[in-house]
Amino acid sequence: MTLEIAAVLAILVAAVVMFITEWVRVDVVALMVLVSLTLTSLITPAEALSGFANLAVVTVWAVLILSSGLARTGVAGQIGRPVLRLAGESDARLIALIMLVVGVLSGFMNDIGVAALMLPVVVDIARRTGRPPSLLLMPLAFAALLGGLNTLIGTPPNILISEALQQYGLEPFHMFDYTPTGVVIMLAGIAFMVLVGRHLLPSRDIKDLSEDAKMAPGEFFGLRERMFVIRLPEDSVLAGKTLAQSRLGAALGLNVLAILRTNQNRLAPDPATHLRPGDRLLVEGQPDLLMELWNRRVLIVEEDQVAAERLQSADIVMVELALSPQSSLPGQTLEQIDFRRRFGVVVLAIRRGGGVVRTNLEKQPLQRDDVLLVQGAREQLDVLRTDSEFILSSAEIADEYFLEERLVAMRVPDDSILVNKTLIESRLGDAFGLGVMGIVREGKTHLMPEAEERLAADDLLLVKGRSEDLLTLEGLQGLEIDTEAPPEIAELESEHVGLVEAVLSPRTTLAGTTLRQIHFRDKYGLSVLAIWREGRAYRSNLRNMALRFGDALLLYGPRERQRVLGLEPDFLVLSEAATEAPRLNKAPIALLIMAIVLVPVILDWMPIAISALVGVVLMILTSCLTMDEAYRAIEWKAVFLIAGMLPLGIAMEQTGAANFLAEAMVGLVGPGGPLAVMAGLFVLAALASQVMPNPAVAVLLAPIALNTANDLGISPYPLMMTVAVSASAAFLSPVGHSANVLVMGPGGYRFSDYTKVGIPLTLIVLVVVIIIMPIVWPFFP
């Protein structure tokens, strides 16, 4: 082994480890590989950047746009929906039709796009026919993967394998060269799911699944076990306040599902709805916090007004910060900026125009002419003087902000529920809108306490807030739990209000963000009652839960707002009634464009990359897609992943690393003959695709397969076709492919469900490959 081979293998192993552990995003890993190969002089700069101009990369993103065009104009839906409705009452026939339709569509469209497009359709069919979605959604995802094997453009590994052949001076695979093998594999997969696989699937519906995973009719994500009724006393200080002002959600973690009044029930009340004395509120959540408020005090007001000077010391001062002309902050809220963590100071008030804003500052979008009154350490303010975002001025103007009107001194009593809690755990800010500016303890004042500071009995808190917020706290303590049983789930839905599920779309930008950060309730007017993740329902502290791709969200609210959410590219609402209407008048044009793309490729008149680009231009010029929709259709992570990993394939070939690994494979399984080598490659690629993106698997194994074929003196085509098939055989786990993750939440699947069905399906595909491949692509032509 040469030094160059060792270096390439070291980079390869490091990349595989990062793919498996997910320490770094996969596209960033690919760029790290590209940079490492260049810095170690294993490839030239031109070779390092060649991936971005590679025909395979161009083809991948162009096909993604074409696929989006077919979806947006309703072509796929118009083909799929009528066929699926022919299934009748037979489970076997319905699964077969779903898989057949999805498989055929996936041959010409991006597989995850087909899965996302058909997901609401299949969920609606399951609801109408009384079947659990878990019976249909895994077959949907697997069919998308199997169907991608049928054509050159069906899946990125197919394109990459064909391009690798061409780069090695061999005849590449053409549009339908994959079809004979792919169709047989797809039909075998469908037969397995119809005859055996469906019996291995769980009969589980997240709409009827309680926390112990047992079916319980009428329960929705275990919703009923968290429903109860609270009542406002006739003299409650909450009467006259809106639901938003009552802080029932922020302080107690309760979702108000309905207001039960004598003359009428108000379902899914708006946050601006005013409460009345004696109102009975149907809520969802846990009563623990409310019951804790009953039995113990929170804070005692000791001083109604506190002088602003108490917020300053020898080390902590107040200054004004004006936004500089070149500041990038206008338009963003303090919460979005993470102002305190980023700049190390606390915003006390904002001077805007002729007025002053002193409360609810975190949600205020900054404006260009705003002046911020901030509290901070002198050394940190010295740092800000050189920050291009701000212009600092003196703090001798604090009186102009009338902070005394918002500053209160509050004592923590011995029996307070806040004792021994950190400031962040106390949720004084999030729940009650109260900001702790300082803590007086044993005669010493600690200004700007950290979020992890623990409160102690007898602490005196210097708090910024409104007197109304303190009254709200008293009002929450006066709420009563009604002993009457809550209404049935069915009574929560009407013609205008209902429950619906939604998932993050394949192209979402919201993964990793919380509902609170995106202001979900305010923006969409819907309440998130539960989140289904990895086989269980979460129903507490949802506002601060980072969203993941594959989560299923249980939403409640006006159906009109559900339809608005259906227009958002970040979400996929699992109801056809809430999905965006396609441009059906453009469907014939989209079909004609696809014919224009495919015919020259089939007749070998032009490369697939150029033909696909022609189709992209026509889709946009004919308004089948807008340019913004085209950009959104591109899976940029996949583009950078492929472009970054292709240079590794070049380095493996040029340094001899590919030949080194090929010789190792021949030495290991070569004595068993070509079939054994083929089986070894299949197993290696199938296992790798469970922990690595399948385009990366194809890029890495293509040079090994080519060199192995050369060492054995056999045709490279059966081995290359095997790599393409096995790289897409990601049936063993939900993380193997995005289509699997997409259906995990709506199907209520657990990790083990995929393994239970995926292992036998993968073995069947392996057997079919071993039987059919030498017939279609002989080892010795």
Side-chain angles (χ1 to χ4, degrees):
M1 180 189 299
T2 66
L3 185 61
E4 288 80 6
I5 291 176
V8 169
L9 294 181
I11 293 172
L12 171 61
V13 170
V16 171
V17 169
M18 284 189 281
F19 281 138
I20 294 173
T21 59
E22 297 182 344
W23 290 336
V24 185
R25 283 173 44 136
V26 294
D27 46 350
V28 178
V29 172
L31 293 177
M32 291 169 65
V33 167
L34 182 154
V35 171
S36 299
L37 292 170
T38 308
L39 294 179
T40 53
S41 299
L42 293 169
I43 56 175
T44 66
E47 290 168 336
L49 299 176
S50 63
F52 292 96
N54 189 280
L55 290 180
V57 175
V58 175
T59 303
V60 166
W61 62 255
V63 168
L64 289 171
I65 295 176
L66 293 174
S67 172
S68 180
L70 292 176
R72 191 66 193 86
T73 55
V75 171
Q78 292 299 303
I79 294 173
R81 290 180 180 86
V83 174
L84 294 182
R85 293 190 175 99
L86 298 175
E89 297 299 318
S90 168
D91 287 350
R93 191 185 311 159
L94 180 57
I95 290 173
L97 280 173
I98 287 174
M99 296 191 72
L100 191 61
V101 169
V102 171
V104 171
L105 291 174
S106 190
F108 300 93
M109 296 175 61
N110 172 247
D111 42 18
I112 182 64
V114 174
L117 178 72
M118 300 304 293
L119 181 58
V121 179
V122 174
V123 169
D124 267 0
I125 290 174
R127 297 281 183 250
R128 287 200 301 270
T129 59
R131 293 180 173 92
S134 61
L135 181 67
L136 307 178
L137 294 185
M138 195 179 293
L140 164 68
F142 286 175
L145 303 185
L146 291 167
L149 306 175
N150 292 330
T151 66
L152 173 64
I153 63 174
T155 186
N158 293 2
I159 299 171
L160 292 167
I161 290 296
S162 179
E163 181 64 21
L165 285 168
Q166 189 162 11
Q167 289 180 347
Y168 276 76
L170 299 169
E171 182 70 18
F173 289 129
H174 298 286
M175 176 61 71
F176 293 110
D177 284 348
Y178 291 90
T179 306
T181 307
V183 166
V184 174
I185 293 172
M186 184 180 76
L187 293 177
I190 293 174
F192 165 77
M193 292 302 297
V194 169
L195 299 175
V196 179
R198 66 187 175 97
H199 299 293
L200 302 176
L201 292 168
S203 180
R204 189 181 300 137
D205 187 346
I206 60 173
K207 288 191 77 173
D208 296 316
L209 197 60
S210 63
E211 195 159 29
D212 61 1
K214 294 180 180 179
M215 297 296 291
E219 296 200 0
F220 199 112
F221 274 78
L223 182 60
R224 186 164 175 76
E225 59 194 57
R226 293 289 182 90
M227 286 170 48
F228 59 97
V229 177
I230 58 178
R231 189 178 68 84
L232 265 72
E234 294 293 336
D235 60 349
S236 175
V237 296
L238 298 181
K241 291 184 179 292
T242 65
L243 278 176
Q245 292 168 341
S246 74
R247 297 187 176 272
L248 283 164
L252 302 180
L254 301 177
N255 284 304
V256 179
L257 306 180
I259 300 178
L260 310 177
R261 290 172 177 160
T262 304
N263 52 346
Q264 69 175 67
N265 293 337
R266 187 158 186 173
L267 301 179
D270 187 88
T273 302
H274 285 83
L275 297 172
R276 300 176 186 172
D279 270 349
R280 297 171 62 243
L281 310 180
L282 175 63
V283 298
E284 181 265 343
Q286 291 181 306
D288 305 30
L289 287 175
L290 176 57
M291 296 172 71
E292 196 172 26
L293 281 177
W294 286 348
N295 301 321
R296 298 168 67 183
R297 293 179 293 177
V298 181
L299 294 168
I300 300 172
V301 177
E302 293 216 345
E303 300 177 43
D304 288 338
Q305 288 193 349
V306 175
E309 288 73 21
R310 293 182 66 177
L311 300 185
Q312 299 190 91
S313 67
D315 300 316
I316 305 294
V317 296
M318 291 185 288
V319 300
E320 280 189 322
L321 294 180
L323 298 183
S324 68
Q326 66 269 30
S327 175
S328 62
L329 303 182
Q332 302 179 67
T333 65
L334 297 179
E335 186 177 61
Q336 292 169 336
I337 298 168
D338 199 4
F339 199 93
R340 176 166 181 176
R341 186 182 302 274
R342 180 174 171 184
F343 298 113
V345 296
V346 176
V347 179
L348 302 176
I350 300 175
R351 185 146 51 88
R352 177 174 294 166
V356 174
V357 182
R358 293 168 296 186
T359 54
N360 201 28
L361 298 178
E362 290 293 311
K363 302 185 186 307
Q364 292 284 338
L366 294 179
Q367 298 178 11
R368 178 65 62 185
D369 296 328
D370 282 349
V371 177
L372 315 180
L373 178 66
V374 302
Q375 176 194 43
R378 292 182 185 276
E379 57 268 24
Q380 183 59 33
L381 293 172
D382 288 338
V383 173
L384 292 184
R385 291 183 191 280
T386 61
D387 195 309
S388 60
E389 299 282 2
F390 307 108
I391 300 172
L392 269 70
S393 65
S394 171
E396 299 301 326
I397 34 63
D399 291 345
E400 298 179 13
Y401 290 87
F402 304 104
L403 290 181
E404 290 83 357
E405 298 177 5
R406 292 288 185 266
L407 291 177
V408 182
M410 309 182 78
R411 181 78 61 184
V412 179
D414 293 343
D415 62 343
S416 172
I417 62 175
L418 303 181
V419 173
N420 289 326
K421 287 187 177 180
T422 65
L423 283 176
I424 196 167
E425 290 170 347
S426 75
R427 299 176 62 245
L428 287 171
D430 183 29
F432 303 107
L434 303 174
V436 179
M437 301 291 101
I439 301 176
V440 181
R441 182 179 297 159
E442 297 178 354
K444 297 180 180 180
T445 301
H446 306 276
L447 297 177
M448 295 183 63
E450 296 293 333
E452 299 305 319
E453 177 76 32
R454 289 196 177 275
L455 298 175
D458 205 40
D459 277 351
L460 184 68
L461 309 184
L462 305 181
V463 175
K464 183 167 74 71
R466 298 178 301 181
S467 56
E468 304 96 278
D469 296 324
L470 304 179
L471 289 174
T472 298
L473 176 55
E474 294 177 17
L476 293 176
Q477 289 178 301
L479 292 174
E480 302 169 357
I481 295 181
D482 203 315
T483 56
E484 186 177 332
E488 295 296 326
I489 298 291
E491 298 179 47
L492 297 181
E493 299 196 84
S494 69
E495 180 183 352
H496 303 291
V497 175
L499 295 149
V500 73
E501 299 153 63
V503 296
L504 294 182
S505 74
R507 302 292 180 266
T508 186
T509 59
L510 300 181
T513 63
T514 66
L515 295 170
R516 179 184 176 187
Q517 288 171 333
I518 62 176
H519 305 289
F520 187 91
R521 182 70 175 86
D522 297 334
K523 186 174 181 181
Y524 301 112
L526 299 168
S527 297
V528 180
L529 303 185
I531 295 177
W532 186 270
R533 175 181 294 172
E534 296 177 355
R536 62 161 293 189
Y538 293 84
R539 293 163 297 188
S540 302
N541 198 30
L542 301 182
R543 300 173 69 228
N544 299 311
M545 200 170 172
L547 297 175
R548 296 183 194 169
F549 182 59
D551 286 346
L553 280 63
L554 171 61
L555 307 176
Y556 181 61
R559 299 192 190 279
E560 180 183 350
R561 302 299 299 177
Q562 295 173 10
R563 287 189 284 272
V564 172
L565 183 67
L567 301 177
E568 288 289 322
D570 285 305
F571 291 96
L572 187 61
V573 181
L574 304 188
S575 168
E576 285 192 86
T579 54
E580 185 176 6
R583 302 183 182 111
L584 294 178
N585 61 317
K586 299 291 183 179
I589 299 174
L591 279 174
L592 178 62
I593 291 171
M594 282 305 296
I596 293 172
V597 170
L598 295 177
V599 169
V601 176
I602 295 170
L603 298 178
D604 207 18
W605 290 347
M606 68 174 67
I608 178 63
I610 303 303
S611 184
L613 283 176
V614 171
V616 168
V617 172
L618 291 176
M619 283 282 189
I620 295 167
L621 290 178
T622 57
S623 298
C624 291
L625 280 178
T626 66
M627 198 65 200
D628 287 340
E629 289 170 337
Y631 280 126
R632 199 181 304 134
I634 299 173
E635 191 175 347
W636 291 107
K637 182 185 293 186
V639 171
F640 277 84
L641 168 69
I642 297 170
M645 293 301 292
L646 282 172
L648 182 55
I650 296 173
M652 289 176 65
E653 182 60 31
Q654 291 182 351
T655 61
N659 189 56
F660 176 83
L661 294 175
E663 289 175 354
M665 173 162 281
V666 171
L668 184 64
V669 296
L675 283 178
V677 173
M678 178 186 293
L681 271 175
F682 182 97
V683 172
L684 179 61
L687 292 177
S689 67
Q690 308 308 315
V691 295
M692 293 171 57
N694 57 5
V697 174
V699 168
L700 296 179
L701 291 187
I704 297 175
L706 287 166
N707 281 273
T708 300
N710 184 60
D711 290 348
L712 292 174
I714 62 176
S715 168
Y717 293 102
L719 298 189
M720 292 293 277
M721 183 67 74
T722 297
V723 171
V725 169
S726 53
S728 297
F731 309 119
L732 299 177
S733 73
V735 297
H737 196 278
S738 297
N740 294 349
V741 181
L742 180 68
V743 302
M744 188 177 188
Y749 298 121
R750 299 187 176 92
F751 194 98
S752 58
D753 295 326
Y754 289 86
T755 306
K756 191 186 304 182
V757 182
I759 288 176
L761 178 57
T762 302
L763 292 175
I764 285 174
V765 174
L766 171 59
V767 171
V768 172
V769 165
I770 291 175
I771 294 173
I772 196 70
M773 197 70 74
I775 299 173
V776 180
W777 299 98
F779 291 114
F780 304 100

